[in-house]
Amino acid sequence: MIETLGIFPDFESAGRAVERLVREGFAEAQITSLTSVSYPDGALVKTGRRSWFRWLTLGCFIAGAAAGFALAAGTAWLYPVQTGEKPIIAYYPTGIVTYELAMLFALAGTIVGMFLEMGLPAWRKRPYDPAIAEGCIGISVTIHPGGEAVVCGREAETGACVGGVVSLSAGEQKSRAEEIMREAGALRIVAEEPS
Amino acid sequence: MEKQTSPYRWGMVVDLDRCTGCGACVVACQAENNVAICGKKEIAEGRNMHWLRIERFWVGEYPNVRARFLPVLCQHCRDAPCEPVCPVYASYHNPDGLNGQVYNRCVGTRYCGNNCPYAVRVFNFYSHQWPKPLDNQLSPDITVRPRGVMEKCTFCVQRIRRAKEDASGEGRLVRDGEVQPACAQTCPAEALVFGNLADPRSRVARLVRSPRRFRLLEHLGTHPSVYYLKGGGREHV
Amino acid sequence: MKRRTFLQLGGMTAAGAWLSGCRSANERLIPYLVSPDEGVTPGRAEYYASACRFCPAGCGILVRVSEGRAKKIEGNPAHPVNRGKLCARGQAILQELYHPDRVPQPLKRTGPRGSGKFTPISWGEGLSLLAGRLSALQRERSTERLALMTTQLRGTLAELADRFVAAFGSPHHIRFDLLAPDWLRAANRRSFGQASLPWYDIAETRYLLSFGADFLEYHLSPVHYGFAFGRMRQGRDTVRGHFTYVGGRMSLTAASADRWMPVRPGSEGALALGMARLILTESLYDAASMAASGLWPERLAAGLEAYDLPQVAQLTGLPQQVIAEVAREFATTPPSLAMAGEMVAFQDNGPEAVRAVQLLNVLAGNLNRPGGVFPGGSVAGPENSFADLLAFVERMRGDRIGVALIHGDPLHTIPPVTGFPEALARVPFVVSFSPLLDDTALQADLILPDHAALESWGDVIPPVAPRGTVIGLMQPVVTPLHDTRQFPEVLMATARELGGGMAAAFPQQSYLEMLKEAMKKEVHPAGGIDFETVWVDLLRQGGLFKTEGKGGKGYRWTAEAPVPAPAEPRFAGDDKRFPLHLQIYPSTAFYDGRGAPLPWLQQLPDPMTTVVWDSWVEINPATAAGLGIGFGDLVEVTSPRGSLHLPAVLYPGIRPDMVAIPMGQGHRGMGRYAEGRGVNPLALLALADNGTGPLPAWNATRVRVARISKEGNLVTAGNPEGSYRGELIEI
Amino acid sequence: MSEPTLSAAKSAVRMNDAMLSSLRPPTLRWYLLAFFLGGVVAWGLYAFGYMVSTDMSCTGLDRPVMWGVYIVNFVFWIGLSHSGTMVSAILRLSRANWRRPILRAAEAMTVFTVTIGGLFPLIHLGRNWVFFYLIPYPNQRGLWPNFRSALLWDATAIFTYIIGSSLFLYLGMLPDLAVARDRCAGWRRTLYGALAMGWRGTAREWLIFQKASTLMAALIIPVAVSVHSIVAWDFAVTVVPGWHSTIFPPYFVIGAILSGVAAVITLMAIIRKAFHLEEFLTPLHFDNMGKLLLVIALLWSYAYFVEVQTTWYAHEPIEWEVFSFMAGRYTPALVLMLVGNSLLPLTLLCFRRIRRSVGAMLVISLLVNVAMFIERYLIIVPSLSHKNMPFVWGTYSPSWVELSVTAGAFAGFALMYTFFAKCFPMVALTDVRELEARKVLVPFARAELPSIAGKEGGDD
């Protein structure tokens, strides 16, 4: 997998580059933008809208509820304390503890799920330029050695991930993309060494 | 989990018509239970350690004034407000209907003290000392409470325990009058009567059926095990 | 070793001694989860029967002893006086035993008197010092210069003390107690021809009328009467005894009354006679009783002509209607009972006022009947020890006393107006037997500390008991803590040291032996039964309790007894400069002050004011408002005799023209808990002289009160505002 | 590397510079401040240590007032924590663009206040050294904590809230950390690099980030509500007159938000001045926060009225006794509370000029928090002073130990905040820059009006 990153001084030139890359035959899924602020989806690139991490939130919520119930009711059941005429398990407090732990797990699950889905933390060094933090925009094109198409999301339309430049070799694709980006006004190209 | 049951439900009757307010019960309690000696400063700060106090109320104005006495000790409520608020089960309810306090468990949140409507729980704000040789008096049956824990009347649980062991050794139940807390034992006017409310023939159970009976702050629904008998009259004949 | 021999002394434990502790502590660990009241048996303790000599009532006690240490004092159920009940004071004497400031061994004064500078000496040295002084008196042939001053002792100890003084050749054994019922004995002798103290059958009475008799606090036998009071109220199925209290201050006893009659001080006698007259004129009296007493209603009524209702109402400050109502109730609710107490007797017309109250019992037929009043056994005692005291003071003042042996703390309990403190200062050699450095011990030259009560032998004869012979026995329940010796043993040892006739007067080796002999005379063991067995039984039981039979002569108004005629009361101090009556009363906790060193009693809130660790003056809120005095303010109370600074308590239960101060505090010594705490109100008392010589009229002093500051440093256990808000808890 | 030349990038650099100015090396004044705050914290710690090593007699607590300033602090700090996360989450969900410069200050405040607040129940224990008895874990004692106790609900809720709000703070900071990473060197770069977790800002990352932010916001609000409801239940589930009241949970939540919003305004004013962020924290923000404060103050006044009105109408003797005692003994405090929480905000905040005056807003917001502290005090202390048994009524005034610990808590909060501000971006710079980047001028008739391109958050 080779990633090529072009650094653009402004939004317009970056948009131009994306447009040309797409026109050249690179698939939308191969192109992504690196920005220090968030742009509306589709302003530069389109990305698959579905994400799965919220299922993890739900799962954690349920696990948390189970844990909370076990904590409040389970321990009371296993280690009973005689409390006069009151029931061994206190119903209402069990509800409260169950709720709080469910929420705790859900919150933690959300963060964990988010990072998992983002693929962060990234252990591999990937092309990046600090100028992005200063408002420059990076357009990155991912090219797979051997020229096969990038892996698409399940929801992608048939053929959407297979660009016209697919017939070219990886190296050729890379130089083509760099050329397009330079033309569009890239300040510089940060390329990743082929792994 | 099976609920434990018990043939006992300890309770007390305080006959306000008999009570003269003399204070014998207060000293008896203090002597029996290793209750700390509190100096003037300590009491001025509202940190008296007495487990049992006699409240004195003035009613009316001179010359038609009356003083009313009300001995107040832990009411050993069936639905004790102090119990559910304790996060560590230091305040708990035993099957005999006693509201127990386990000093070892207590961490000193003082939540029970706030939630006790009768304000009978006392907290060891001070680290109490008994100057030698006063410490010789300390009863070996009862813990000397360290600072930072809550304590209160136990109905002299050490005496109850002893009586129950004696009785079970003889294969019987504790007889009526066999065990009394120190306060009831010493009360000159016999205003305090202790016994098993679960036994309908016990003296307390009979007294509790008196029409003069009432319980303190009954509207709170705490169901105390201490019953009071109203003073009979105290007005002109 | 010592403890073991002591315990072997005869296995005198009551209620069966049994030791557990056989169960191993390691049998099983008790997890916290198991309620800790299950499966744990603390060590068993032993109970020793003894008797309480704190106040004269003489209750029986059981002392719980564990591992050789006294732990708790309970009432002795076998004792007919207190039947297993006990007051606050009786339970607190444990702290007398373990008081941290006890005098651990004999002391010799080194600094000036009152400086508190003493050097510890050995008993040998102490005894030879005393014996040296005494033999000097013998050599000078001035043995009458020895004086022994004690409280009103009874039984073997009284006999021993008397014998000691007599054998030495001195007539001076002064037995003065501020609160002793001399006045009652004297009144009984005048009215009934016998000085024995009465026994009131409160439990069975239906109408109790107390004239200043605080029988629930200190009057004669508070525990005994407290027990009876409970039964009077709720001990009978259909009858609830009624209780009316007459007195200017609502005492603890009065607080339990159904009706409180705040009578003008000194007019109690007039009130009693007014009631008597009304009973006579309305023919509500008990004719049989009158006849038995040899009284003629018409003649008596004529003698009481001066006490018609309007006049009495005016004298007493009570509404006529109330007086009449109470008189009628009293006469028509048999059995009724009238009692006279210290608050009446300590007026300058007290002796006659007490008799006026006794007359009421005659009128209503309450003598010698259940629910009425009986002679309470054969206990005799001084009838005017106050006169003895004054004579003794006079002697000391004339330097006619060389050695004074003092048991007790007279410097604290005798009002300075008698001149006692200055007179005592002139005595060259004063010996105190106090176990604590009390006011008297601080002024002594030699201190030979007595045992604490729980280390002592003795017999305690209660002044009040339902017929029969009741002798409580004291036995040591622990080995003595310190190098102290019991007072009678010291007297005997001194006698032996002096030798000659003195030694011969005490043939017994020890006080214990003397005690046993005295008891042997009382019990007459049947043939064949060894007295030692009987003795052990007596100790185990707590004394000799013979309540059957021996119902001596009943009360009967003597023919020669005059009609009571209480004079118009007189007070020390004129009513312009000193507008308020002062009443001093024994504190519920400290009695006359002997309880002050015990922290349990200091901490015990005063039942009426809830004050702790202090003295105070009670003022009616209306009076206080007029003087600008608020609750807890520091005030100055000034009498013709002196003035005191103490905090004020607004007290709704007191006449507006009266203030009251409890006795018991204001010690110069007596250990860390009592020293310098509060004030001693006796310093305020002046003597009212009615022409017949000084009388112990302790409630006949007038005072004025002025506010000093807000800083009264008064501490009450109860919230002063909350004390008026009983309606919040529906009380 | 050559510098970007075009204006968009230029403005980004300038904004970065301005908003990250707080990360510059500390000045002498900063050190002095930190030293001073550290000193106060040390004093508070000493006072606490003194209490632990002697006994609790050095507090002003007694029977019946067994809870005092420690618990007042607890409720107060937990209340303050409500603004932060909750306000920020509500604003995020409601897509109020003006929230952006405020977010970080508010969220950081939450984390620190809830931390301080959570310490107080432990500080106030009679035997602090066995505090672990409160923690549910399998132990040799064979005893688990009593979940019936509201204190255990507190413990779980506050734990959840501390974790949740910390995660929320961190989540919001993630892109900013990446920016900071790119602009820094040395240890800061290492730190931010580690915390940024390799964030590059790819379109996919942004998308998931936005969704996660929204979800977190939605999750944290019920937690925040539950936390303060449970704090209210500490009181409401008792039988203490004046505490046992059904309105307490909503009333406490409203009070919490009131004090929280006020605290955010205070911090905004301070940060604006301290870090020269006048450009980003404009009078508009104060105006909007002022409106929010006005609404909350109105709600609070309503809740207080309802609470008192019920007491008054029922005139239940002991409840009324507690109320009249409070009104009698604490009249000045009560007046100050009503003025600060109700009268002043309700009148002054109606005026736009006052809302837009940073100075006036600072004063009002401080006053609100003083009033809220008093409110907690007046809830806790008078009720206990005049509880059911009139004979054991009592009074309470805090001792030097309690006041020192309180001062230490305030200083500790300020110190943590100061350190945080020195170490982390105090303004949500990517959020602010996002707004800047998406601002376009749209021709509208004769004018060009500013408009924000695209949908907020990129998520439905």
Side-chain angles (χ1 to χ4, degrees), chain C residues 364-442:
Chain C
N366 299 329
L367 297 184
N368 319 312
R369 79 164 168 199
V373 55
F374 297 88
S378 57
V379 181
E383 287 162 47
N384 194 1
S385 59
F386 184 62
D388 299 345
L389 173 74
L390 290 181
F392 175 55
V393 168
E394 214 39 60
R395 282 197 148 266
M396 290 197 291
R397 224 180 250 153
D399 292 329
R400 284 180 288 160
I401 297 294
V403 176
L405 309 180
I406 304 182
H407 187 254
D409 189 9
L411 272 179
H412 186 262
T413 52
I414 294 180
V417 67
T418 54
F420 179 76
E422 301 81 45
L424 186 68
R426 303 180 70 94
V427 176
F429 194 67
V430 177
V431 182
S432 165
F433 300 90
S434 302
L436 288 164
L437 276 176
D438 57 23
D439 296 17
T440 309
L442 282 172

Side-chain angles (χ1 to χ4, degrees), chain A residues 4 8 13 29 31 49 70 92 100 120 133 157:
Chain A
T4 303
F8 295 86
S13 55
I31 308 163
R49 293 182 60 87
Y92 188 70
E100 291 297 341
L120 295 182
E157 288 166 34

Side-chain angles (χ1 to χ4, degrees), chain B residues 17 20 24 28 30 38 40 48 56 58 66 94 105 136 138 141 159 162 165-166 186 188 232 237, chain C residues 32 37 41-42 44 64 69 71 74 86 91 227 234 240 242 252 258 603 607-608 613-614 713 723:
Chain B
D17 202 27
T20 65
Q30 184 160 24
C38 302
K40 189 173 180 179
N48 198 347
R56 187 269 292 109
W58 289 111
R66 324 231 134 231
N94 87 355
R105 292 175 188 166
N136 280 338
L138 293 175
D141 292 357
R159 293 180 175 213
R162 201 177 300 146
E165 291 220 344
D166 288 350
T186 207
V237 180
Chain C
Y32 279 22
D37 62 340
T41 311
R44 296 280 177 178
R64 181 161 177 257
R69 293 180 179 86
K71 297 296 178 189
E74 291 157 9
L86 202 58
Q91 302 183 71
F227 184 77
Q234 294 293 337
R240 173 180 181 271
H242 185 92
L252 173 68
D258 300 281
Q603 192 187 339
M608 294 306 288
W613 295 93
D614 213 340
N713 191 20
S723 297

